[in-house]
Amino acid sequence: LLYAGSWENRVGRLLWHTIKYDKGYDVKIEECDVIPQPYRSFPAGGEKEQIWSWNFNQDNVELTCDGELQYLQDFDEGEVSSWKTGLPKKCRALGDAEVDRIAFRNMEGYYIRAIPKDGTVKFPDPQPEPEDESATEEIQLDDPAQLIDPGQPQVYPTCSCWTPECGYCSNLECTVKQDLSTSTHGISVTVHHNKATRKKLHSIILYDEPGNVLGTFQWSLKNINLSGCISCPTPLAKMRNMTHGVADAHWTFHLENGMARIYMKEEVMYERALVGKCVERYGKAKRFAFNGMGCENSFKFLASEMEPGANVTPDCGGTCPMGS
């Protein structure tokens, strides 16, 4: 915990693990990151004795382990969140703060080896005991449920699964687990309006729980398709009324209770009841992944009913640059 001027003025909170987790929930600066970020390698090769160093510079902060860079955050490049207020301004404010006191939490058995830049060590007044016991509660970075408000959606890029890393849409770590047959939220996607054309198809691949492909939902300005069950023209007049004068198009796809619906601006643009084998087929939809959407588009991740694969991250497992 970082403070500037007094113990009442907390300006930063740094959280990190000493090992690398498969899902990449390794390190986080609360004022800069919405969710934890992955390390660049396995720290210190798994050695028990490690030397971790937070190095604050004018424009950025680095975290190294035994001299190897594991995390770098520019203060001018904090993440943006629809539910976590103050970002990215708090990140820049952390870089500008004159930190003069530090408090440690959950670090019993660790040792501090600080090197003051001016060659002197100053000991501030003792920190008062926190009145709120939750202030000392341990935060598990590998448990995203503790770091994400489950009731508020996060904005994730529509990572394409058609990559070697995702086994060309066969790797379940590139899918999002969600029971679409019972979900009242569906899949909400934001597409840059100037990218929408009559020929460009946007695709959501649907899987059953074990990972077998059930089919693909596709839409464009020309057609709406659901493999084996729906193929029809897009209702252009209705869609144009909903997208006129806006920069981005917001689509929500529902399969609740055997009814296929597409919403735009919370209004139903298209709906059709599935019949026969289509009801049974898509009633098994428990996972989804994107194809052909690009890093610039996004979807709403709702932790209360979605579970992301390891490669469904803010940088799409490293395939999309952060902030693209």
Side-chain angles (χ1 to χ4, degrees):
L1 303 178
L2 307 178
Y3 298 83
S6 73
W7 289 117
E8 284 71 41
N9 183 30
R10 195 181 84 183
V11 296
R13 189 183 192 193
L14 320 177
L15 305 100
W16 76 101
H17 276 304
T18 56
I19 60 174
K20 181 176 176 63
Y21 279 77
D22 292 339
K23 288 192 174 183
Y25 299 109
D26 299 325
V27 57
K28 174 184 178 182
I29 297 179
E30 198 168 77
E31 289 67 30
C32 299
D33 301 311
V34 177
I35 64 172
Q37 303 300 309
Y39 289 143
R40 300 189 176 191
S41 66
F42 199 89
E47 294 292 332
K48 290 185 177 180
E49 184 173 319
Q50 306 169 359
I51 299 176
W52 290 85
S53 177
W54 285 95
N55 304 307
F56 281 79
N57 306 303
Q58 182 176 357
D59 297 322
N60 58 49
V61 57
E62 304 171 335
L63 175 64
T64 64
C65 180
D66 287 0
E68 182 180 4
L69 182 65
Q70 294 293 348
Y71 170 82
L72 174 67
Q73 175 64 57
D74 289 336
F75 294 124
D76 289 325
E77 297 181 5
E79 291 187 296
V80 178
S81 171
S82 60
W83 66 272
K84 191 171 182 180
T85 59
L87 272 63
K89 293 181 179 179
K90 286 184 178 179
C91 192
R92 180 63 263 175
L94 173 60
D96 295 334
E98 296 184 4
V99 176
D100 61 357
R101 57 199 72 200
I102 304 171
F104 297 93
R105 295 284 186 269
N106 309 304
M107 297 185 68
E108 183 178 356
Y110 288 61
Y111 296 89
I112 305 168
R113 185 166 64 182
I115 304 175
K117 291 183 177 181
D118 61 0
T120 61
V121 178
K122 298 179 181 178
F123 294 97
D125 296 334
Q127 183 190 15
E129 291 295 326
E131 296 181 3
D132 184 2
E133 293 183 358
S134 64
T136 60
E137 181 180 356
E138 182 175 2
I139 299 296
Q140 295 294 332
L141 286 183
D142 56 314
D143 182 1
Q146 293 189 9
L147 296 157
I148 299 175
D149 185 341
Q152 296 293 330
Q154 308 301 296
V155 178
Y156 272 47
T158 50
C159 312
S160 176
C161 63
W162 196 255
T163 64
E165 295 80 8
C166 290
Y168 299 100
C169 300
S170 65
N171 184 352
L172 295 188
E173 296 298 342
C174 298
T175 69
V176 177
K177 191 173 181 180
Q178 181 189 27
D179 188 345
L180 288 166
S181 66
T182 62
S183 172
T184 58
H185 296 92
I187 305 171
S188 294
V189 177
T190 298
V191 179
H192 288 289
H193 189 47
N194 58 6
K195 299 289 185 180
T197 68
R198 292 178 62 83
K199 294 182 179 180
K200 174 67 175 178
L201 278 174
H202 302 294
S203 302
I204 300 176
I205 301 174
L206 305 174
Y207 307 77
D208 62 14
E209 189 160 5
N212 302 302
V213 175
L214 299 173
T216 303
F217 168 67
Q218 296 179 309
W219 76 99
S220 69
L221 299 189
K222 183 179 180 181
N223 292 106
I224 294 172
N225 301 296
L226 182 62
S227 301
C229 297
I230 295 174
S231 181
C232 62
T234 300
L236 279 178
K238 185 179 290 188
M239 194 202 70
R240 283 170 178 162
N241 287 336
M242 295 179 179
T243 59
H244 179 70
V246 300
D248 301 325
H250 303 282
W251 303 67
T252 301
F253 173 59
H254 280 250
L255 271 178
E256 185 183 9
N257 298 323
M259 180 68 75
R261 290 189 178 94
I262 300 173
Y263 290 82
M264 294 188 73
K265 292 186 176 180
E266 300 183 355
E267 295 183 28
V268 177
M269 186 191 75
Y270 173 88
E271 65 179 346
R272 176 177 292 185
L274 301 180
V275 297
K277 292 184 178 180
C278 291
V279 179
E280 179 182 359
R281 176 177 176 178
Y282 289 105
K284 300 175 182 177
K286 308 292 184 185
R287 297 177 181 271
F288 68 88
F290 297 100
N291 186 22
M293 296 285 291
C295 299
E296 70 275 12
N297 300 314
S298 61
F299 78 102
K300 289 183 179 180
F301 173 76
L302 193 61
S304 61
E305 63 176 54
M306 295 180 180
E307 181 181 335
N311 291 331
V312 183
T313 63
D315 66 347
C316 294
T319 62
C320 285
M322 293 292 287
S324 66

